[in-house]
Amino acid sequence: MPKLEQMPEDHIYKAYGLYLLQSEHRFVKRLKRAHTPMLHGDRTWQSSFILMDYLQHHPPEARARVMEVGCGWGAAGVYCARTFGARVTSVDADKHVFPYLKLLEVLNDVEVESLHRPFEKLTTGRLAEENLIVGADICFWDRMVKPMLNLVSRAIRGGTDRVVIADPGRPPFYELVDHCAKRKGLRAELTGWYAVEPKRAHGEVLEVRGSSNDSLTWTPDSPCSSGR
């Protein structure tokens, strides 16, 4: 059960060791006057907590290089920096999310690198610098499936160890899982998962690694909710 802790002021809450801000917080309200996110990067979505819980049980190596794609406010990347001492790059196609990311950095006493770039512009060479690539709630439109699939393929081909994506279970996400399971050179595993902080939330986690023999740990016809 999450530890009860008195917050220093209204509209701050804590989950998985992070201090986080609600949209009603005075600093967030002030930022909104100058920076309006265009691609739904206007809060910390529940899938970020599902991702945090999953990484708590399947952590990266200490001081790993981690990239959060479609970072929005960047909670998952900040979590990796604070919890695992990861060297984090937070990437988003919307430049207006980065002031909110900076707030979370300061609030949690970490530093992450920010990179303003769409999925399509992340080259194999750049992705290859990372040990782990993560994303939460980043495949919510049909048109995002192909760019995400290509990003996963480039990353694994370049030598990234793992790609981990959390989602509440939207149809485009399942389409991405299907394509990853069928693509040569990828080993895809889909797992039902849940978060317990700041409240219980259910979703799915896709983990992709390289496969030299094309054997898959998940196929579209197999059960996909093994949980923890």
Side-chain angles (χ1 to χ4, degrees), residues 140-158:
F140 45 85
W141 289 328
D142 291 340
R143 68 173 183 264
M144 302 175 85
V145 174
K146 185 175 180 180
M148 274 305 307
L149 174 64
N150 290 337
L151 184 151
V152 171
S153 296
R154 290 197 303 275
I156 297 300
R157 185 170 66 245

Side-chain angles (χ1 to χ4, degrees), residues 149 152 175-183 186 188 206 208 216:
L149 174 64
V152 171
E175 184 179 350
L176 172 65
V177 174
D178 190 6
H179 285 302
C180 287
K182 293 176 179 177
R183 178 155 292 196
L186 301 183
L206 168 66
V208 184
L216 300 175

Side-chain angles (χ1 to χ4, degrees), residues 79-138:
Y79 168 78
C80 288
R82 184 177 175 89
T83 305
F84 308 117
R87 293 165 289 175
V88 176
T89 301
S90 298
V91 182
D92 206 286
D94 183 359
K95 65 181 180 180
H96 293 288
V97 303
F98 295 121
Y100 300 88
L101 167 63
K102 180 57 67 176
L103 267 182
L104 291 191
E105 288 181 57
V106 173
L107 194 60
N108 290 282
D109 194 26
V110 299
E111 292 185 7
V112 305
E113 179 183 348
S114 59
L115 180 61
H116 177 213
R117 197 163 296 177
F119 297 150
E120 298 89 338
K121 298 295 184 179
L122 291 167
T123 65
T124 300
R126 180 62 187 85
L127 295 169
E129 297 176 17
E130 309 299 329
N131 305 112
L132 169 66
I133 294 174
V134 299
D137 229 330
I138 55 173

Side-chain angles (χ1 to χ4, degrees), residues 152-208:
V152 171
S153 296
R154 290 197 303 275
I156 297 300
R157 185 170 66 245
T160 299
D161 298 325
R162 306 163 60 197
V163 178
V164 180
I165 302 170
D167 194 88
R170 293 187 174 92
F173 170 76
Y174 287 125
E175 184 179 350
L176 172 65
V177 174
D178 190 6
H179 285 302
C180 287
K182 293 176 179 177
R183 178 155 292 196
K184 185 176 181 180
L186 301 183
R187 186 172 77 252
E189 181 176 0
L190 182 66
T191 307
W193 208 263
Y194 62 89
V196 295
E197 302 177 33
K199 60 183 179 181
R200 195 175 180 93
H202 292 265
E204 306 272 6
V205 177
L206 168 66
E207 174 153 351
V208 184

Side-chain angles (χ1 to χ4, degrees), residues 16 49-60 79 83-84 162 191 193-197 207 209 227-228:
Y16 293 98
F49 303 118
I50 293 169
L51 179 59
M52 292 176 202
D53 197 290
Y54 182 85
L55 292 175
Q56 194 174 73
H57 291 79
H58 304 279
Y79 168 78
T83 305
F84 308 117
R162 306 163 60 197
T191 307
W193 208 263
Y194 62 89
V196 295
E197 302 177 33
E207 174 153 351
R209 296 175 182 256
R228 310 188 227 174

